[in-house]
Amino acid sequence: PVLDPASLRPRTEIDAGVEPLSVAFPAAGTAWIGARGRVQEVDSGTGRVTRSLPVPGTAYQLVSVRTTGTVAVVLADGLAALDARTGRLLARRPLDSAGSLTAVLAGGTLWVGWLDDGRTRLGSFDARTLRPTGSGPVLGDRGVALAAADGVLWVADHSAGTLSCVDPATGRVRASRPVPNSSALAADQGWVYLADGVRVRRVPADC
């Protein structure tokens, strides 16, 4: 369902015809729904599917990048970049990962976490070409959750039980604190929210 942001009541319902795994909103009134082997473009007002775009794998996560007019697709074995207007595949970046990848837009670039040789790597990529642009700290062996807000990249390290704020321009850690382990992460200008499957905790977004 599509909810009204003020009342949280269902506004309409989308039947994408696929098992949805991810969603992004690259333009006003448009939703992209990721699934196995395709991304469906949907009119978010009517719920009507307007086109179906093939992708080279399963679209586990979609990251909309309006500044470049692209949508980054997180696959099992790497990344793909699609033109948000035409749906054309612009770039492909394989990443050798022993587990799932996660990505977020921070500081105008795409930051990605992936498992490599028993450690979690953080790297930044150009959102349109997927060329590497930088790297961050090497973290633990259980993966990370990522979020971004107010010019800061937030990283929850599942192994260490820490929450770190990272400068997305340099990849350097500004500060780190212990937090309860979390499976999901979100942030806004004042708070960072950590979810563990049972409850959501929030901590001040001090960095």
Side-chain angles (χ1 to χ4, degrees), residues 13 30 32 38 46 56 61 63 84 88-89 114 119 131 149 185 190:
E13 193 166 286
T30 301
W32 282 29
R38 73 180 71 179
T46 65
Q61 185 184 355
V63 180
R88 184 169 63 92
L89 179 66
W114 72 97
R119 303 299 299 272
R131 293 192 182 100
L185 189 65

Side-chain angles (χ1 to χ4, degrees), residues 127-193:
R128 190 170 184 87
T129 66
L130 299 182
R131 293 192 182 100
T133 58
S135 61
V138 178
L139 302 166
D141 61 355
R142 294 175 56 194
V144 296
L146 303 178
D150 201 25
V152 173
L153 172 65
W154 293 96
V155 183
D157 185 339
H158 300 325
S159 295
T162 57
L163 176 67
S164 300
C165 64
V166 175
D167 184 341
T170 65
R172 294 177 180 174
V173 175
R174 293 178 181 171
S176 186
R177 74 185 82 169
V179 293
N181 210 344
S182 58
S183 58
L185 189 65
D188 58 26
Q189 291 185 345
W191 300 92
V192 181
Y193 305 87

Side-chain angles (χ1 to χ4, degrees), residues 79 91-95 109-112 114 122-135:
L79 307 169
R92 179 84 165 85
R93 170 67 58 176
L95 290 173
T109 59
L110 188 68
W111 278 89
V112 181
W114 72 97
L122 281 182
S124 63
F125 299 84
D126 182 277
R128 190 170 184 87
T129 66
L130 299 182
R131 293 192 182 100
T133 58
S135 61

